[in-house]
Amino acid sequence: MDSGNYGKYDFIVVSNRLPVDRVAEDDGEGWRRSPGGLVTALAPVMSSSEGAWVGWHGAPDETVEPFEHDDTHLVPVPLSEEEVEFYYEGFSNATLWPLYHDVIAPPEFHRNWWDAYKAVNRRFAEATAAIAAEGATVWVQDYQLQLVPRLLRHLRPDLRIGFFNHIPFPPVEIFAQLPWRRQVLEGLLGADLVGFQRASDTSNFLRAVRRYTGSLIKQHFVELHDEAGRRECRADTFPISIDVARINELARRPDVVERSRQIREEVGDRTILLGVDRLDYTKGIGHRIKAYGELLEDGKLQVEDTVLIQVASPSRERVESYRLLRDDIEASVGRINGTFDTLGKTAIRYLHHSYPTEEMVALYLAADVMLVTALRDGMNLVAKEYVAARTGVDGALVLSEFTGASDHLRQAILVNPHDIDGLKERILQALNLPKGEATRRMRAMRRQILQNDVEHWSQTFLHALAAGRG
């Protein structure tokens, strides 16, 4: 690209979705900042630099011109209805998602999905190349855009490119199933820095690179030769976190505290077990419900004393495996409630909704035990949010060892969710945890999270990207 044709933005984030949601306003439609840690973490960087964000705006078959929102230049990338079906619902979420989550569900491999994935990734790369200033920093986010780093490197070898993978990266023996494994690896290696949630993900990626590209690897650096000449790509671990200050503030707000009291009153002042998940087969919701149901059957828990509140926010409802999962979960809840409910008490309060952050924090405050039983999860921020909300330094967290969060929250009650008997034991352990031990565990976990919030994550990654090898 001719130097006279460079864009003006020094820092660009590229993600599947823009950081805004469309909302109805009195004078028509407007945009509201999306909730979420990534948007919060990057807002200060956007404000302090000429920042831009490239992503899809959420509506298929519609072109929206670039616009400004909260000190950020937003560049919508259009997607057709077919591309949403093939690139997003298909290759991203029915091929890569299950493959990267240890094939808990079988991945599907379709060449037309792959073709759509390539085309959309190219469109994202071209939109980014067109607006980047000379030598700009570009940070590409997540598995939907794994080809963007190399495509962008080809278009703009002057850029400094980072990529962060928010989900797990699978062992090489599983990744090997992907027909386009080499192309995906080469796409990622277009970056200067590739970040992962866990050290095991980094190591899985480097093993795959060694096996399928033949590149020379020294420690965390891959030696490469491409449009930019001889260069290196670093792969390393940068565990993401949450907006701790925001959760802490809400947990102390009088209206949120009052709402938590109301929740306890609404369920009859019983001991509350809480699950909060996107409705996804990786989250282990069925395992959790099965364990709770068996505890009721065994007489170890009674519906008069204990309730499970399960929030399962809607997710990918056009994908068949997700529709089937919803049917299974709702049938399990119905069976348990039909067996154990009394006129005044319900065993499981199942809530298939999304809730604002204020309501979620009220639920965290109300819950005596948080159950995070994911079968595979890159991090699981719900576990960290629960700990951040426990300003009274009480409560208990039952946490799957297959989450990235288990690397950091070592004082949680760790569990293998596939072991239903073990899960039942851990739930009872959490319910009967002596007050002093519960406080000690929660204090240690809160210390870890307070020192490592989402801003710390973004700054650590961006400093590593800016520093290069030095």
Side-chain angles (χ1 to χ4, degrees):
M1 182 178 286
D2 187 288
S3 60
N5 294 327
Y6 288 136
K8 68 174 186 175
Y9 296 99
D10 294 319
F11 179 65
I12 302 169
V13 175
V14 189
S15 63
N16 176 62
R17 285 294 299 271
L18 286 173
V20 290
D21 299 316
R22 187 178 264 153
V23 291
E25 295 180 340
D26 294 339
D27 55 349
E29 288 185 327
W31 301 92
R32 176 182 59 203
R33 193 169 97 171
S34 307
L38 181 63
V39 184
T40 303
L42 297 179
V45 191
M46 290 290 183
S47 300
S48 63
S49 63
E50 281 277 6
W53 198 305
V54 175
W56 180 44
H57 63 282
D61 293 321
E62 180 186 53
T63 300
V64 175
E65 291 301 312
F67 61 98
E68 307 295 320
H69 189 273
D70 284 355
D71 299 322
T72 303
H73 183 70
L74 301 182
V75 181
V77 175
L79 295 182
S80 68
E81 183 70 47
E82 183 179 88
E83 285 169 338
V84 173
E85 182 185 347
F86 289 177
Y87 144 79
Y88 181 70
E89 294 170 354
F91 196 80
S92 294
N93 292 319
T95 300
L96 293 174
W97 181 269
L99 186 76
Y100 282 32
H101 287 86
D102 291 356
V103 294
I104 293 166
E108 298 178 44
F109 304 114
H110 300 294
R111 284 171 289 182
N112 57 337
W113 289 4
W114 167 245
D115 289 341
Y117 186 81
K118 286 191 295 182
V120 171
N121 272 246
R122 177 167 295 281
R123 192 174 308 143
F124 273 78
E126 288 169 348
T128 306
I131 63 167
E134 185 173 7
T137 294
V138 178
W139 193 1
V140 185
Q141 307 289 333
D142 225 1
Y143 64 104
Q144 302 96 342
L145 301 174
Q146 292 176 109
L147 307 183
V148 168
R150 187 183 190 198
L151 293 166
L152 196 51
R153 175 78 55 197
H154 178 73
L155 292 167
R156 293 287 304 274
D158 60 295
L159 299 177
R160 185 159 285 279
I161 304 167
F163 181 94
F164 188 78
N165 196 62
H166 291 259
I167 68 173
F169 195 90
V172 68
E173 294 78 12
I174 290 177
F175 184 73
Q177 295 177 33
L178 185 66
W180 308 280
R181 59 202 183 192
R182 184 184 175 97
Q183 292 97 311
V184 166
L185 292 172
E186 289 174 342
L188 291 169
L189 290 170
D192 297 289
L193 176 64
V194 182
F196 298 93
Q197 301 278 27
R198 310 181 78 173
S200 56
D201 298 324
T202 305
S203 141
N204 288 342
F205 172 71
L206 289 171
R207 282 184 64 213
V209 168
R210 184 177 285 113
R211 179 172 298 185
Y212 295 117
T213 73
S215 299
L216 184 63
I217 299 172
K218 293 182 179 177
Q219 296 178 316
H220 287 264
F221 292 88
V222 183
E223 289 193 9
L224 300 161
H225 298 271
D226 58 18
E227 295 85 352
R230 183 188 173 282
R231 63 179 191 86
E232 292 178 320
C233 171
R234 174 185 169 190
D236 221 330
T237 309
F238 301 88
I240 198 170
S241 192
I242 60 169
D243 183 0
V244 177
R246 168 81 170 141
I247 300 294
N248 256 323
E249 174 206 339
L250 288 173
R252 291 184 165 89
R253 231 170 65 182
D255 60 318
V256 176
V257 173
E258 172 59 19
R259 176 63 188 136
S260 73
R261 189 196 63 74
Q262 289 173 3
I263 291 168
R264 293 195 67 87
E265 197 174 85
E266 286 167 16
V267 299
D269 282 318
R270 291 179 286 168
T271 298
I272 296 176
L273 302 168
L274 176 64
V276 173
D277 309 89
R278 207 166 40 78
L279 188 59
D280 192 287
Y281 50 75
T282 63
K283 301 299 184 181
I285 301 170
H287 296 64
R288 179 185 317 158
I289 289 171
K290 182 176 178 62
Y292 177 67
E294 289 190 9
L295 286 169
L296 291 172
E297 279 175 32
D298 299 343
K300 301 282 181 65
L301 295 178
Q302 283 76 40
V303 75
E304 292 82 6
D305 306 319
T306 311
V307 60
L308 170 61
I309 299 176
Q310 175 62 57
V311 177
S313 57
S315 170
R316 300 171 189 161
E317 299 200 301
R318 294 183 2 168
V319 179
E320 179 65 15
S321 58
Y322 287 77
R323 286 198 293 266
L324 295 173
L325 174 68
R326 179 179 177 180
D327 291 345
D328 286 347
I329 297 297
E330 291 179 355
S332 297
V333 170
R335 278 194 301 272
I336 292 170
N337 284 346
T339 303
F340 296 103
D341 281 7
T342 66
L343 284 173
K345 299 286 195 297
T346 296
I348 302 175
R349 295 287 295 271
Y350 176 73
L351 308 167
H352 184 55
H353 309 290
S354 297
Y355 290 97
T357 308
E358 290 83 355
E359 182 75 359
M360 295 315 307
V361 173
L363 279 165
Y364 296 147
L365 286 173
D368 299 285
V369 176
M370 185 83 213
L371 301 177
V372 176
T373 56
L375 308 179
R376 190 78 166 93
D377 217 334
M379 181 52 62
N380 195 286
L381 297 180
V382 163
K384 294 189 173 187
E385 287 178 352
Y386 177 74
V387 170
R390 302 305 294 191
T391 52
V393 201
D394 57 356
L397 172 63
V398 176
L399 180 61
S400 166
E401 62 192 54
F402 302 117
T403 63
S406 69
D407 291 347
H408 317 289
L409 304 179
R410 303 303 298 174
Q411 293 77 20
I413 297 171
L414 298 180
V415 66
N416 171 4
H418 297 280
D419 175 6
I420 300 298
D421 286 335
L423 179 52
K424 289 159 65 178
E425 289 170 10
R426 296 296 178 269
I427 291 172
L428 291 175
Q429 180 188 346
L431 287 169
N432 296 300
L433 210 57
K435 189 174 188 307
E437 184 181 350
T439 298
R440 178 182 60 77
R441 286 173 179 258
M442 190 60 69
R443 182 172 287 122
M445 290 190 289
R446 284 180 60 76
R447 188 180 308 119
Q448 203 283 335
I449 287 176
L450 288 166
Q451 291 169 354
N452 297 281
D453 66 0
V454 70
E455 190 172 341
H456 176 266
W457 165 76
S458 64
Q459 292 304 316
T460 303
F461 184 95
L462 290 172
H463 286 154
L465 178 58
R469 182 142 201 174

